[in-house]
Amino acid sequence: MMKKLCTITAFVIWLFTAAAWAESHKMEYTAAYVNQHWKCEIFEAEMNADAQEAFSSYLLPGDEVICGAEMRYYAQEDLDTPLHQDVQMAVRREDRMLLLSASGSDGKWAIGVESDAFLPAEGGFEVTITPASDGQTVKQMKSGRPYITWVHGNESWQVLVRETGEVHVACYAHQIDAHTRFELETSIPSDTGNLGVTLYTDDESIHYEEFSCVFPTRLTAWTMDNFPKTVEEIRTYAAAHQPDVADDEGYIFGVNLRTEPTGQSDSLGQYTAKVKVIGSVPGTDSPWYNVQMGDLSGWVSGRYLIENDDIRLCEWESEVLPVAQANRDIFLINADTGAPIMTLPAGTLMHVFHQDGDLLHVIIPRGEWTWKTDWSGIYGMVSANDVSCGISAADLRWK
């Protein structure tokens, strides 16, 4: 059961007095039962020092910084040296609103740029820090971390930055009227559903459902216009986005692909992918399956092969490496033989699902580019030096 509650109104308590408003710009939270301490800062038209350092090469003349927030994570025994930092910032660039995200430690930043996402190009919105409160005090969290929350009218989004710089919606809330609130929560990863939908009347839960479906974890998969805002819309979406698994197919998630059906044989790498099952042999605890991913085949233990539709693919697709774009005309190479397959023109978009040194194992979509990996596309290897990587196709547009 997903327990974190997403609130639209938490930031109002910071507006009671001028002193409270000043405190809302710099605040601290401590998790009650885990060794976590967060120092948070909200900034408006002028970036703070860490945002300037992280985003300096991404900003263009004429860009307008709207607002942003930073969260620094410390171990309780050392509140002077941050172990990790997350920064998000909204920037208006001409007629677009960009969400810049950075995740870093030791002065190194992983940057993501999202556009065509939930931030409206026109209209007002605010950013605040929402603690994962346990109902006791705003400053004392039961567990986990606070969230950077973006508020627009009667809607709000709690947003996480992953270590790759990738942005994820953790919770969306829509205040339908004075008494009714709709909340959509995502869980990555999850041992139950990956979508939790709750309806509240006067802050009392009157309906709850969970769904497991192929779910777009990246903000660019949804815009303000098509973000689901009702239980009915979620049901329709979930029904249309169930994983498709044929009788001879399955999924592996972060599993070693072996050269032989034994755990002592060489690994071809750890893969997260949809696979075709082409054979099997008995094993000590479970069978070993010979599987194929386009141009590469190997063996995986049956313990790690999922062959039914009970797949929460969103939590695993989020582990797939970023998308990439060819910087020039390059060769796509067969991963098994090393022979050239085809020439990819400059600008070709591809999904990256494994990295082997300086080589990337990629899939070229056969049809229109979408956020979802096209497992039926054209497989091959490309040199990492010949492509630019991003967390999404939108991110690549701003590199």
Side-chain angles (χ1 to χ4, degrees):
M1 180 75 67
M2 293 173 287
K3 298 180 180 178
K4 299 186 300 294
L5 294 180
C6 172
T7 65
I8 293 177
T9 59
F11 69 96
V12 175
I13 64 174
W14 297 321
L15 303 180
F16 285 161
T17 65
W21 174 244
E23 184 181 3
S24 74
H25 281 73
K26 290 188 178 181
M27 60 209 87
E28 299 184 20
Y29 301 105
T30 301
Y33 304 124
V34 292
N35 187 28
Q36 291 185 357
H37 188 90
W38 295 87
K39 295 183 180 181
C40 308
E41 178 183 357
I42 295 173
F43 55 91
E44 295 179 345
E46 189 170 319
M47 293 181 287
N48 69 4
D50 287 321
Q52 291 178 11
E53 175 188 350
F55 300 126
S56 60
S57 62
Y58 284 77
L59 297 177
L60 301 178
D63 284 352
E64 179 186 358
V65 176
I66 306 301
C67 56
E70 178 184 21
M71 300 194 305
R72 299 183 182 185
Y73 164 55
Y74 298 79
Q76 290 284 50
E77 62 272 13
D78 182 4
L79 299 183
D80 295 323
T81 306
L83 298 176
H84 191 80
Q85 296 162 263
D86 291 341
V87 183
Q88 287 181 28
M89 184 171 69
V91 173
R92 181 173 285 114
R93 179 172 294 176
E94 298 177 348
D95 61 343
R96 293 177 180 268
M97 188 69 72
L98 305 186
L99 179 64
L100 277 62
S101 63
S103 181
S105 59
D106 298 327
K108 298 178 181 178
W109 296 96
I111 308 296
V113 182
E114 292 284 353
S115 66
D116 305 326
F118 72 91
L119 294 183
E122 301 296 334
F125 57 88
E126 299 176 62
V127 62
T128 187
I129 305 292
T130 303
S133 176
D134 62 356
Q136 296 177 9
T137 66
V138 172
K139 297 225 173 179
Q140 189 73 33
M141 300 181 296
K142 185 174 183 179
S143 62
R145 62 194 294 183
Y147 295 88
I148 296 175
T149 301
W150 296 85
V151 182
H152 177 256
N154 60 355
E155 298 177 288
S156 68
W157 291 260
Q158 289 185 348
V159 177
L160 292 176
V161 185
R162 305 198 71 186
E163 293 184 3
T164 58
E166 188 173 352
V167 179
H168 289 274
V169 173
C171 184
Y172 163 78
H174 177 208
Q175 192 72 35
I176 299 172
D177 54 41
H179 300 282
T180 309
R181 184 172 78 252
F182 166 84
E183 292 187 2
L184 167 64
E185 187 177 24
T186 72
S187 182
I188 308 169
S190 169
D191 56 1
T192 54
N194 52 34
L195 286 181
V197 180
T198 310
L199 279 178
Y200 291 92
T201 296
D202 294 329
D203 291 328
E204 180 179 352
S205 174
I206 61 172
H207 181 80
Y208 179 79
E209 287 187 54
E210 283 191 354
F211 299 94
S212 294
C213 61
V214 180
F215 175 72
T217 60
R218 299 185 179 99
L219 292 183
T220 46
W222 276 331
T223 67
M224 284 284 285
D225 294 332
N226 62 21
F227 205 101
K229 298 178 175 64
T230 67
V231 176
E232 290 73 20
E233 289 177 2
I234 288 294
R235 288 172 181 160
T236 300
Y237 180 87
H241 291 78
Q242 293 301 318
D244 51 332
V245 184
D247 291 340
D248 61 346
E249 292 179 331
Y251 284 88
I252 57 175
F253 306 124
V255 175
N256 281 303
L257 188 67
R258 302 285 183 180
T259 55
E260 302 292 338
T262 169
Q264 284 69 50
S265 63
D266 292 338
S267 172
L268 298 172
Q270 290 187 338
Y271 280 85
T272 295
K274 184 176 182 179
V275 298
K276 182 176 182 180
V277 179
I278 56 179
S280 66
V281 297
T284 303
D285 300 319
S286 59
W288 281 84
Y289 290 93
N290 192 200
V291 300
Q292 187 170 11
M293 295 170 285
D295 54 350
L296 187 65
S297 63
W299 294 86
V300 297
S301 170
R303 292 178 296 172
Y304 306 116
L305 178 69
I306 295 182
E307 299 178 275
N308 54 44
D309 59 3
D310 184 26
I311 302 172
R312 292 167 290 280
L313 190 57
C314 83
E315 66 194 69
W316 301 111
E317 278 211 328
S318 65
E319 300 300 329
V320 175
L321 292 174
V323 297
Q325 184 175 40
N327 295 330
R328 58 186 71 85
D329 292 353
I330 61 176
F331 284 119
L332 182 68
I333 305 298
N334 186 287
D336 185 35
T337 65
I341 300 173
M342 59 189 296
T343 299
L344 302 178
T348 299
L349 290 170
M350 61 201 82
H351 286 278
V352 183
F353 69 105
H354 182 67
Q355 182 166 3
D356 182 10
D358 293 333
L359 294 175
L360 303 177
H361 205 162
V362 301
I363 302 175
I364 313 300
R366 294 184 182 273
E368 181 181 356
W369 175 270
T370 68
W371 64 270
K372 185 182 176 184
T373 303
D374 181 8
W375 299 111
S376 63
I378 304 171
Y379 288 68
M381 304 284 281
V382 299
S383 170
N385 297 323
D386 292 333
V387 300
S388 295
C389 288
I391 60 175
S392 66
D395 183 26
L396 287 172
R397 286 201 293 270
W398 305 104
K399 296 255 182 214

